[in-house]
Amino acid sequence: MRKVEPIMTTRGLTWGLLAAVSFAAAASACGSSGNGNAAAGAGGSSTGTGGSAGATGGTGGADVDAGGTGGTAGADVDADTSDAADAPAPVVDQIPGVTVSTLAGSSTQGAKDGTGADAQFNNPVNVIIAPTGDLIVADFDNALLRRVTTAGVVTTLTSQSGFVRPFGLAYTPSGTLIAETDWNNPNQGDDTTGALWSVNIATGAATLIQANLGRPRGLVAMSASSLFMADPIAHYLRLYDLTAKTSSTLAGVAGVSGFVDGSGANARFNGSYGSAKLPDGNVVLADLGNDAIRMVTPAGVVTTVAGDGTPGMVDGSLSEARFDSPRDVAVDAAGRIYVSDNGNHRIRVIDVAAGTVRTVAGKGTQGYQDGAGGDAQFFGQEGLDVTSDGKTIYVADGNGGDPYPYHRIRKIQLP
């Protein structure tokens, strides 16, 4: 069994990862700005679950939200300046021939339908490719689901009372769209109020499946009736039966964080986040607080794909590679894993067969820039999806819940 104790650190983790810092005498947690975890109204504060690390990984961990950034307003913001002097030089293996463009959205916040830069979003946080080839976008602070064509035409799909702060998205094998919202009423929400909805893709009508399921932002349809759920607040994985409307724990222990490979309740996570299904039926997920990419089998056996628990920017072999606060993953038909490496402001790709991690796009500084892969900048990239051939990646590049002018859907083209 592989075991690494959780890393407690005071460094700034962007986009609402507010680390619960454990000390010998006391534990404290920072509040999050933007999309507050546990407050009534639009922007309250949140309290972490700080604690000491123990033999099973401890009870402290990452307090995760879609808001909160350490940067300052402006066109080219670097949120990592406090760590720049101490950080080792990044090791980057940039894939050549990559281009980054903006599919839709701009610096203007709003809910306007339109085409390209004429369309408006308000902190888009997630994106999924529909069976039709269109994109479905979780427009978090607008409380909307939006449909975006590959030509950049944006229309509103879902807008209704009680459907608030959408984040998690998944399609079942039969083509049913499942969405998760952090809140289940328009006035308040906390770490327990996450809800699952079935969305009529023709009309946009969302039907509540079940409320008060925690914060299951990482969704994967395992079958027509079984839904995988990763909860970044409670640090554990569940299977939800869409027919019986019951859930069971697959791996980890609710409320207990750590970094442990193992089976079922022996495994530990620290901010289990965006997830995707591999061709072999296993699930891969971004373990945000552990700076790692993990894998879990349908039987609940957890292993680490890449990342050793130390934040960093290192391309190379699976054992050498390092990440910084990865938020989401996507998988192509060949099993390559694409990572939204939020803290490094890059999109990375893991080729398990080749045993390598490389950089697809992003120069490592926070901002907005289209162009060649290595020159491009992302501001608050979170959710992403990839076409089955691995040639096109779509990224939700919002503002992390803070009042900065970044509301775009980005398109990455690989050679």
Side-chain angles (χ1 to χ4, degrees):
M1 178 183 291
R2 181 181 187 275
K3 177 178 176 182
V4 182
E5 296 299 340
I7 295 172
M8 299 298 181
T9 171
T10 56
R11 67 187 180 87
L13 294 183
T14 58
W15 318 128
L17 170 61
L18 299 176
V21 183
S22 176
F23 295 95
S28 65
C30 301
S32 102
S33 64
N35 308 325
N37 276 329
S45 63
S46 95
T47 303
T49 57
S52 61
T56 59
T59 56
D63 187 11
V64 183
D65 202 349
T69 172
T72 54
D76 294 293
V77 179
D78 187 349
D80 300 325
T81 54
S82 62
D83 302 312
D86 299 327
V91 178
V92 180
D93 181 7
Q94 172 68 50
I95 297 174
V98 175
T99 58
V100 179
S101 59
T102 298
L103 180 66
S106 69
S107 61
T108 302
Q109 169 188 316
K112 179 183 176 183
D113 289 341
T115 301
D118 189 50
Q120 296 172 349
F121 301 92
N122 189 0
N123 187 25
V125 294
N126 205 0
V127 59
I128 190 171
I129 300 174
T132 61
D134 291 342
L135 310 179
I136 304 299
V137 173
D139 195 355
F140 191 86
D141 286 330
N142 274 331
L144 302 174
L145 292 184
R146 316 290 292 280
R147 191 198 311 267
V148 184
T149 72
T150 55
V153 179
V154 179
T155 54
T156 297
L157 175 65
T158 302
S159 174
Q160 68 183 58
S161 178
F163 191 88
V164 186
R165 297 190 169 191
F167 203 107
L169 299 169
Y171 268 98
T172 69
S174 61
T176 300
L177 175 62
I178 305 296
E180 175 267 349
T181 57
D182 286 356
W183 292 7
N184 55 59
N185 75 67
N187 299 313
Q188 66 180 15
D190 57 32
D191 295 351
T192 70
T193 57
L196 293 178
W197 305 76
S198 176
V199 180
N200 185 314
I201 200 66
T203 67
T207 301
L208 182 65
I209 299 172
Q210 187 170 339
N212 301 319
L213 287 170
R215 187 67 62 82
R217 285 182 171 180
L219 302 181
V220 177
M222 303 299 288
S223 68
S225 61
S226 180
L227 186 70
F228 170 96
M229 305 191 304
D231 190 323
I233 300 295
H235 317 294
Y236 76 134
L237 313 178
R238 285 173 288 172
L239 291 177
Y240 184 83
D241 189 318
L242 291 164
T243 303
K245 297 185 179 181
T246 57
S247 65
S248 58
T249 298
L250 178 65
V253 175
V256 181
S257 67
F259 191 3
V260 182
D261 285 341
S263 297
N266 293 319
R268 294 289 183 272
F269 306 90
N270 189 6
S272 42
Y273 222 91
S275 312
K277 192 175 182 180
L278 292 163
D280 62 6
N282 294 326
V283 173
V284 64
L285 65 140
D287 194 358
L288 186 148
N290 283 325
D291 306 296
I293 307 302
R294 314 289 291 282
M295 185 176 71
V296 59
T297 72
V301 179
V302 177
T303 55
T304 297
V305 178
D308 61 3
T310 300
M313 174 57 222
V314 179
D315 285 335
S317 70
L318 299 183
S319 61
E320 296 170 331
R322 286 183 174 173
F323 303 86
D324 190 346
S325 309
R327 291 301 286 253
D328 196 17
V329 291
V331 175
D332 67 18
R336 289 180 291 259
I337 303 164
Y338 300 82
V339 180
S340 178
D341 194 0
N342 182 275
N344 282 317
H345 315 299
R346 289 179 166 98
I347 306 301
R348 318 272 294 279
V349 60
I350 302 172
D351 189 329
V352 176
T356 60
V357 178
R358 305 182 72 187
T359 291
V360 177
K363 71 176 184 179
T365 54
Q366 187 181 26
Y368 168 67
Q369 179 68 50
D370 283 339
D375 296 328
Q377 289 178 290
F378 302 91
F379 187 83
Q381 93 271 4
E382 297 196 58
L384 80 170
D385 204 357
V386 64
T387 54
S388 61
D389 61 5
K391 296 295 185 182
T392 308
I393 304 169
Y394 297 100
V395 182
D397 192 15
N399 63 11
D402 286 317
Y404 299 144
Y406 301 91
H407 312 279
R408 298 176 175 92
I409 304 301
R410 313 289 292 279
K411 177 182 177 181
I412 304 173
Q413 197 67 45
L414 284 84

